Amino acid sequence: MDIRVIPDKMLRAKAQRVKSFTEEDRKIAEDMFRLMKENEVEGVGLAAPQVGISKRFVVIDLDEFHEVLINPKWEPLGKEKEEDIEGCLSVPGVYGPVERFKKIKVSFTNLYGEKITLKLDGMLSRVVQHEVDHLDGVLFIDKITDWDRIEVMPLALHYPGVVELLKEHDR
């Protein structure tokens, strides 16, 4: 299992709703947790399409929150937004400012088939929004608010799709 990198078409496709979370899906989720921690740049979230699986589930491992979110949906709690720097394992070596809702409510099914609803803010809110975007074929680069403020690490230059993206934005 590998993390897909732009311009992989899977990253731009809308993932399919999960009807039944199988034992094979559980193994994939376990592998996703391992993969994002073993990656050259450690991640805190990974969506199934990022590993070539067109299913609506994500894994998140941030502080004490270690969870598989199956068919997640979120909505804003209020209108307040905040900007922060984001990166993505599918766009290695690029970091840029993205505006997101500060507080959200997310609903999902967990590994045990339980329907969960949580109110989130801070970094966890941002990560959920970022990962759910992946399920809809949206990448953080689509939401960068100021391309003049992006940071590019040497790692980015090892990926032709990332280099092409940077050329498109005169970076």
Side-chain angles (χ1 to χ4, degrees):
M1 175 184 297
D2 293 315
I3 295 175
R4 303 286 179 102
V5 175
I6 62 169
D8 191 299
K9 289 182 168 94
M10 175 67 77
L11 297 172
R12 292 303 191 174
K14 187 167 178 144
Q16 301 298 308
R17 182 167 174 73
V18 175
K19 293 181 175 104
S20 167
F21 202 74
T22 65
E23 196 56 44
E24 181 181 341
D25 292 332
R26 285 178 192 269
K27 170 131 179 37
I28 290 167
E30 287 174 20
D31 289 346
M32 289 169 62
F33 276 117
R34 179 189 48 72
L35 187 59
M36 76 176 170
K37 293 302 176 185
E38 291 176 356
N39 195 57
E40 205 166 339
V41 176
E42 187 174 315
V44 294
L46 194 61
Q50 289 180 272
V51 294
I53 309 291
S54 182
K55 292 187 176 184
R56 293 188 75 80
F57 72 90
V58 304
V59 300
I60 296 176
D61 190 4
L62 177 66
D63 300 326
E64 288 83 42
F65 191 85
H66 181 88
E67 188 72 71
V68 178
L69 287 68
I70 303 164
N71 297 322
K73 291 181 186 172
W74 67 267
E75 61 186 66
L77 292 175
K79 296 181 177 165
E80 190 177 0
K81 293 184 175 183
E82 63 184 357
E83 185 181 86
D84 204 351
I85 301 299
E86 291 187 18
C88 181
L89 297 175
S90 291
V91 189
V94 176
Y95 300 88
V98 174
E99 188 175 74
R100 302 227 183 240
F101 284 99
K102 191 171 184 175
K103 297 178 181 181
I104 65 168
K105 177 171 77 171
V106 64
S107 300
F108 61 94
T109 303
N110 69 11
L111 281 178
Y112 307 104
E114 300 166 327
K115 305 277 189 218
I116 308 288
T117 299
L118 301 172
K119 292 179 180 178
L120 306 174
D121 62 6
M123 182 65 166
L124 189 52
S125 169
R126 177 171 294 277
V127 171
V128 168
Q129 291 172 72
H130 177 114
E131 296 308 327
V132 173
D133 275 353
H134 276 295
L135 302 179
D136 294 322
V138 176
L139 300 175
F140 91 102
I141 55 176
D142 302 327
K143 297 186 172 196
I144 287 180
T145 56
D146 184 353
W147 277 88
D148 289 333
R149 291 176 40 216
I150 68 162
E151 298 175 40
V152 180
M153 303 300 153
L155 172 68
L157 304 179
H158 296 286
Y159 296 90
V162 177
V163 171
E164 194 58 38
L165 169 76
L166 297 170
K167 285 181 184 174
E168 288 172 18
H169 292 278
D170 294 323
R171 300 297 298 176

